[in-house]
Amino acid sequence: MTQYRAQHVPTAGHTPDDDLTGYQVDATDGHIGKVSKYSRDLGPRFLVVHTGLWVLGTDVVVPADAVMGIDHDARIVQLSRTKAQVKSAPVFDADTYLGDPRHRDQLGGRHGSGH
């Protein structure tokens, strides 16, 4: 089993070709949701996390540099953000983010480093 990395590493244990859809997402203070099916569509710079309950949850966009590590055996993505930080991330809207690449570029400025 792969251990989480204590500090951010550029690859964080994965490559852009990895499909993380459905992986559990853990914030620094506990479980926050699952990787949304839209993550692959946004590319390697962002992760779409479905927070909350299956139907009532929200998809939010988290920068890839928030990923501290990935345990492929357990299917868990570990973030360097708290639950509150993840929940306050920009809400993902497929029409906006997939239809206009300029919105992806603007996301980086909204998130900052988060540290």
Side-chain angles (χ1 to χ4, degrees), residues 11-92:
T11 60
H14 71 289
T15 67
D17 294 330
D18 287 340
D19 183 6
L20 303 176
T21 302
Y23 276 44
Q24 175 178 313
V25 178
D26 289 346
T28 58
D29 53 351
H31 176 71
I32 185 65
K34 292 194 178 272
V35 176
S36 169
K37 65 181 180 180
Y38 294 112
S39 283
R40 283 189 68 99
D41 297 327
L42 274 187
R45 291 178 38 205
F46 301 102
L47 187 68
V48 181
V49 177
H50 186 79
T51 64
L53 301 174
W54 180 66
V55 176
L56 302 175
T58 302
D59 284 337
V60 295
V61 181
V62 177
D65 68 356
V67 176
M68 287 192 327
I70 298 172
D71 183 335
H72 289 288
D73 295 332
R75 296 178 49 87
I76 298 173
V77 175
Q78 179 68 42
L79 300 180
S80 63
R81 304 289 198 273
T82 64
K83 290 180 186 180
Q85 288 173 314
V86 174
K87 288 180 181 179
S88 69
V91 174
F92 175 78

